[in-house]
Amino acid sequence: WREYWHWHYRYEIDVSLPEWGMRIGQALIESVRRQTNRHDNLGITLSGGLDSRAIAACTHKLGLPVKSFTWGANDSWDRRIAQEVADALCLQHEDYDYEVAKLPLLFDAAVNETEGMCNLFDMHFLVHRHIIAQADVVLNGYAGGGILGGVFLRSRWFKKQSTDKLAQLVFMRFNTLLRVDQLAKAVPISREISQNRLPREMLRCRFSDFADMRPSDAAHRYIFENHIRRKTTMGTVLMRRVSESQACFFDYDFVDLVTSIPATLRANHAVFKSMYLHCFPEVAMIRWQATLLPAAISPRVDYFGKIARRALAQLEHTTGWEGPTKRQAVARFSEWLRSEYRTWIDDCINGPHPIPGEILDHKFCQKVWKEHLSGKDHTRLLGVIVPIMAFSHTLQAAQRKQLPRQIEPTKVSQSEGL
């Protein structure tokens, strides 16, 4: 992998942005063609974002009959925009309400499937697998933005700097749920762990391996290999229980092409947007969920749109106004935790579990839960705590299980063996 990434990042090709857009569009169409070969009953999980829309547009170009599936809160933009995309591409589209009540019933099994690594509120596929099961093969836009870089690359990562500084910036970008100075309160035993075994130092050590790469490429490589392949992949883990999953952005030829694109062009979705303009104009001007602006609009306009969205979200939070940003999320877990899920999470947080207090402080977990009920938004943090608690019961059951008696091998005669 090290040689692979260094080769492709060292030899970039000097190509204009429109030509890059055409190239990756054609490469993605070929990826979809290969991954749908000899399959008839095709489906696609269609959202209001950019990734799944690109895959859907490819199937349209190829003339493939595809069913598209969308679910979400009944007033979410995700559902509205997905319907607009499906109409533009003449897809057989099915739209569903988010099946809120099913999550507590299926959660324990899902924790086991994902080994406690999936945030409780990233399990969107879990409660809708019966919908996905209608298709034998499900195409999905898994990690499209991550591979192309637009979702993750930050301008500060393009500056020439030490690997230590870069590691610190990347850590700050992703360590959003718990500050370093709060770690000992949540995990008391962390005080006894040597500094070089704590996440920030381990990340710094990992980045030292990328010292001869440019900062933006080193950051993207780490995110690609760690965040995307470890965390983001859990959605497809849940999906693959019922259907074959094809992640078209992970096609080798497509990744080969993307890794030759300068990081400066991949940032802010620049190449992604160029691909829409030059390859998929039929969906280029349909809004996308993150900004509520047309998908192919200038990245600079996108930037100011995001600022306006944040200001609007703050206004909605302060006034209690049910404005447009309230409907951007596919699910409204923050509110559901205080209503439909309250009893379930309360039992989880306050009930007995086998995790020792020095590993996960019970009082800290209770404090987080109380603060959320009082109005603070700790949805993501609770989404990490609850799977850890649930998985602890699985581990305890495994430890208590009596192992079968070891059976000695029996000698077999030569004739019997044959």
Side-chain angles (χ1 to χ4, degrees):
W1 271 99
R2 183 174 185 174
E3 292 177 0
Y4 175 85
W5 280 81
H6 281 215
W7 173 269
H8 287 287
Y9 277 135
R10 188 181 295 122
Y11 298 102
E12 292 178 343
I13 306 170
D14 184 17
V15 178
S16 67
L17 183 59
E19 188 172 346
W20 274 128
M22 288 291 293
R23 285 191 180 190
I24 65 170
Q26 291 302 318
L28 189 59
I29 291 171
E30 288 306 309
S31 169
V32 173
R33 186 197 305 276
R34 282 190 291 271
Q35 298 196 43
T36 56
N37 189 29
R38 295 187 299 276
H39 293 297
D40 296 323
N41 186 17
L42 299 172
I44 181 169
T45 49
L46 186 62
S47 72
L50 296 180
D51 300 350
S52 62
R53 177 186 311 194
I55 304 301
C58 289
T59 64
H60 181 68
K61 293 284 187 186
L62 294 167
L64 297 173
V66 178
K67 297 176 184 176
S68 56
F69 312 111
T70 301
W71 52 80
N74 58 18
D75 56 352
S76 68
W77 285 106
D78 228 44
R79 291 173 67 176
R80 294 190 190 185
I81 295 171
Q83 184 67 63
E84 291 177 25
V85 171
D87 290 344
L89 299 175
C90 303
L91 300 178
Q92 181 184 338
H93 186 63
E94 298 182 15
D95 176 76
Y96 299 89
D97 288 336
Y98 202 103
E99 300 193 24
V100 184
K102 281 190 174 182
L103 184 57
L105 305 174
L106 303 172
F107 174 67
D108 286 344
V111 168
N112 295 343
E113 287 177 46
T114 59
E115 298 180 344
M117 293 176 61
C118 189
N119 191 295
L120 169 60
F121 306 112
D122 287 334
M123 295 186 177
H124 303 302
F125 287 119
L126 174 64
V127 295
H128 304 100
R129 289 195 287 199
H130 60 292
I131 297 170
I132 301 167
Q134 296 179 55
D136 296 331
V137 175
V138 176
L139 307 174
N140 64 85
Y142 163 56
I147 290 172
L148 284 167
V151 174
F152 299 111
L153 292 175
R154 295 292 183 268
S155 58
R156 288 186 294 175
W157 301 350
F158 287 83
K159 299 176 182 177
K160 189 175 181 180
Q161 56 197 302
S162 68
T163 53
D164 282 2
K165 177 62 176 177
L166 178 62
Q168 181 182 356
L169 290 174
V170 173
F171 182 81
M172 290 171 59
R173 164 68 179 84
F174 289 101
N175 189 57
T176 57
L177 300 183
L178 195 66
R179 298 196 315 267
V180 173
D181 59 1
Q182 293 179 318
L183 181 60
K185 294 180 180 178
V187 186
I189 201 172
S190 63
R191 299 187 186 97
E192 303 173 20
I193 300 174
S194 61
Q195 287 294 311
N196 64 353
R197 296 299 299 167
L198 293 176
R200 183 167 57 182
E201 290 303 307
M202 291 181 72
L203 182 64
R204 186 185 64 79
C205 181
R206 183 73 184 99
F207 267 86
S208 66
D209 295 338
F210 308 148
D212 55 343
M213 297 179 69
R214 290 168 304 184
S216 57
D217 295 336
H220 190 214
R221 174 178 168 177
Y222 172 80
I223 293 164
F224 183 86
E225 293 181 351
N226 182 68
H227 183 84
I228 294 172
R229 296 188 67 150
R230 178 184 58 81
K231 175 182 178 292
T232 313
T233 192
M234 287 302 158
T236 55
V237 167
L238 292 169
M239 186 197 310
R240 285 172 180 150
R241 176 69 71 171
V242 295
S243 294
E244 181 180 340
S245 172
Q246 295 288 16
C248 300
F249 283 101
F250 265 76
D251 176 82
Y252 287 151
D253 288 349
F254 184 78
V255 173
D256 283 349
L257 178 63
V258 170
T259 52
S260 67
I261 302 175
T264 50
L265 294 183
R266 286 184 276 117
N268 300 316
H269 287 299
V271 174
F272 218 156
K273 289 172 176 288
S274 177
M275 177 188 72
Y276 275 110
L277 280 173
H278 296 94
C279 287
F280 310 123
E282 57 269 39
V283 293
M285 300 314 290
I286 296 175
R287 300 168 293 177
W288 67 298
Q289 180 263 354
T291 63
L292 302 183
L293 296 172
I297 205 166
S298 161
R300 190 170 297 179
V301 176
D302 249 356
Y303 174 76
F304 289 107
K306 289 177 181 178
I307 294 175
R309 184 197 64 183
R310 288 171 186 165
L312 187 58
Q314 185 60 46
L315 176 64
E316 292 175 8
H317 177 74
T318 304
T319 63
W321 172 44
E322 290 284 325
T325 70
K326 285 278 189 181
R327 301 193 296 276
Q328 280 187 281
V330 65
R332 305 179 75 164
F333 286 118
S334 179
E335 299 171 18
W336 295 342
L337 280 167
R338 302 185 187 103
S339 51
E340 284 92 338
Y341 295 152
R342 179 166 183 163
T343 301
W344 170 39
I345 301 300
D346 195 74
D347 290 342
C348 219
I349 297 291
N350 295 307
H353 58 78
I355 304 177
E358 65 269 21
I359 295 179
L360 186 61
D361 186 79
H362 199 198
K363 290 182 179 178
F364 172 83
C365 299
Q366 289 176 322
K367 179 175 179 289
V368 170
W369 176 230
K370 287 179 181 177
E371 287 180 353
H372 185 88
L373 292 176
S374 67
K376 288 188 177 181
D377 189 358
H378 287 316
T379 305
R380 302 298 300 175
L381 185 53
L382 288 166
V384 173
I385 291 172
V386 172
I388 292 173
M389 290 181 168
F391 196 55
S392 70
H393 291 286
T394 298
L395 293 177
Q396 184 185 57
Q399 289 170 347
R400 289 177 176 176
K401 185 178 180 180
Q402 186 176 0
L403 294 176
R405 181 174 61 86
Q406 185 174 356
I407 301 175
E408 294 294 331
T410 305
K411 283 188 177 181
V412 180
S413 68
Q414 188 174 5
S415 61
E416 288 176 327
L418 293 173

